[in-house]
Amino acid sequence: MSDVVSPDALGSAASHVVAPPVPAGAPLVEVRGLRKDYPIGGGFLGRARATVHAVAGVDLTVRTGETLGIVGESGSGKSTLGRCILRLTEPTAGSVSFGGRDVLALSGRDLRAMRREMQIVFQDPYASLNPRMRIGAIVAEGIEIHGLARGAAKRARVHELLEKVGLRPEHYDRYPHEFSGGQRQRVGIARALAVGPRFIVADEPVSALDVSIQAQVLNLLRRLQDEMHLAYLFISHDLRVVAHVSHRVAVMYLGKIVEQAPVAELYRNPRHPYTRALLSAVPVPDPRRRPDRIRLGGDVPSPVNPPTGCAFHPRCPYAEDRCRRDVPPLIEGAEEHAVACHVFPAPPR
Ligand code: SF4
């Protein structure tokens, strides 16, 4: 039940701003060379038998007030990336800065204060709320931990948050089991907002919900972003969902970003064969506009022993010798469009 633990619960009372204000549209979160390795297996004398390279060197930037969508199949490392940025999981290497402050160098009071600024909305609204706590107590947890309000003021703040996410003040004394999946996710969002964050990692926030409810929660996230100038890292396996909420999209494959572009540019002009395969599988309402389905051969390779060169080469219909030998770097071209591919590079500037 690790998801029951909110980032706030990892610290105790401390609440001073540790990063300066960042103007709208300026970089807020900057990640460089981020890696996360997990040693696995108990070999001789407890030594690791192998290493899972869950995140294999990621660079990204999230600007104030924007949504960067991260899309990829299960096992691409996207959730681990989000957790490393928040330091819910400690990265193996690389750097994360928030408003110019080095997040990985923080400890104690400064780290706890930073957790006010960087929150998470979890995937599963059923598992992420403690079933023994009332909704009011769940939303108030961060307010208490960071010493933001007490007594009547705390209750009033929680009422305000419940209304902000489309719930009612009388829901304060109810338990999670009395709510639908969509309502529980609204509680999860209220909990994240309670401490006044500037950045939220939304980790598959609608994938456990019915399609009819997904749009409501996505629209809520967009409205809150406009009202509160929030920056989101929006993680999903579903390109349709990512397109609905994102300003820019990064496509991950085996722990790396293989393509990144503003959302309209990526959908109009996908370059990387993996992105094109993902896009070709997205249902479109008009069958006459359906792109030819690109079926990928083979399974996603193991991150324990990733292929040499381009990790996508065993499944790529365009693979050449150099693809099997050399790792393609992520290179940015025109339109802020970056691609890691030897054969289909970014559009020239
Ligand atoms: Fe395919 Fe080669 Fe491009 Fe990798 S680098 S996606 S193998 S064409």
Side-chain angles (χ1 to χ4, degrees):
M1 291 283 279
S2 63
D3 281 357
V4 171
V5 180
S6 73
D8 307 295
L10 301 174
S12 60
S15 57
H16 58 285
V17 173
V18 294
V22 174
L28 179 65
V29 178
E30 296 190 276
V31 172
R32 297 290 173 262
L34 198 76
R35 305 185 69 87
K36 178 62 186 177
D37 299 333
Y38 290 102
I40 54 170
F44 182 62
L45 294 177
R47 290 195 189 112
R49 276 191 293 116
T51 302
V52 176
H53 306 286
V55 179
V58 164
D59 297 342
L60 61 81
T61 299
V62 188
R63 301 168 186 143
T64 298
E66 82 158 356
T67 300
L68 176 65
I70 302 282
V71 71
E73 292 167 286
S74 172
S76 60
K78 54 194 190 306
S79 290
T80 306
L81 170 65
R83 286 168 177 267
C84 284
I85 292 171
L86 299 179
R87 284 188 67 188
L88 297 177
T89 298
E90 287 295 333
T92 307
S95 68
V96 178
S97 85
F98 180 90
R101 290 292 304 268
D102 180 352
V103 174
L104 304 188
L106 298 175
S107 60
R109 285 172 60 88
D110 286 342
L111 179 58
R112 290 192 289 274
M114 183 62 84
R115 287 204 161 109
R116 258 191 73 189
E117 309 247 29
M118 306 168 80
Q119 287 284 307
I120 186 165
V121 173
F122 293 106
Q123 172 181 0
D124 188 346
Y126 296 90
S128 65
L129 305 179
N130 187 331
R132 288 180 291 279
M133 287 173 73
R134 294 178 197 269
I135 296 305
I138 290 171
V139 175
E141 196 180 14
I143 297 173
E144 285 167 12
I145 287 167
H146 291 285
L148 303 178
R150 287 188 191 174
K154 183 183 73 181
R155 196 175 177 99
R157 173 81 182 127
V158 173
H159 283 177
E160 187 189 318
L161 285 159
L162 292 177
E163 288 187 307
K164 208 177 223 343
V165 300
L167 297 171
R168 295 196 301 277
E170 58 264 34
H171 289 146
Y172 189 101
D173 289 314
R174 302 217 186 134
Y175 287 94
H177 74 265
E178 298 177 65
F179 290 88
S180 67
Q183 287 176 315
R184 288 185 214 201
Q185 198 54 297
R186 288 173 191 269
V187 174
I189 293 167
R191 175 176 61 183
L193 294 178
V195 292
R198 287 191 272 169
F199 172 63
I200 291 179
V201 172
D203 186 3
E204 300 266 14
V206 298
S207 60
L209 305 178
D210 290 344
V211 173
S212 59
I213 305 297
Q214 287 185 357
Q216 294 173 14
V217 173
L218 294 175
N219 290 338
L220 170 65
L221 288 169
R222 282 172 60 154
R223 177 169 62 75
L224 294 170
Q225 179 172 55
D226 289 344
E227 289 175 9
M228 304 169 78
H229 312 293
L230 296 166
Y232 294 138
L233 187 78
F234 189 97
I235 296 167
S236 178
H237 66 282
D238 187 336
L239 261 172
R240 258 177 333 139
V241 168
V242 166
H244 190 70
V245 294
S246 302
H247 299 92
R248 293 182 300 127
V249 177
V251 180
M252 276 189 83
Y253 188 78
L254 269 192
K256 289 186 173 167
I257 292 175
V258 296
E259 184 158 15
Q260 181 174 298
V263 66
E265 165 67 12
L266 189 86
Y267 281 74
R268 192 173 49 232
N269 184 24
R271 305 284 296 168
H272 197 282
Y274 179 60
T275 309
R276 284 193 258 157
L278 289 182
L279 279 172
S280 77
V282 174
V284 290
D286 180 353
R288 288 166 302 179
R289 292 182 49 225
R290 187 189 302 279
D292 290 338
R293 177 87 189 258
I294 302 171
R295 293 189 187 279
L296 296 176
D299 295 325
V300 181
S302 164
V304 175
N305 194 11
T308 56
C310 171
F312 188 58
H313 85 249
R315 304 173 78 193
C316 181
Y318 309 100
E320 303 175 353
D321 281 350
R322 57 179 170 163
C323 303
R324 290 178 264 277
R325 195 182 56 228
D326 305 326
V327 177
L330 185 69
I331 296 176
E332 186 173 315
E335 307 283 338
E336 282 192 284
H337 194 155
V339 187
C341 178
H342 294 304
V343 180
F344 301 98
R349 291 176 195 265

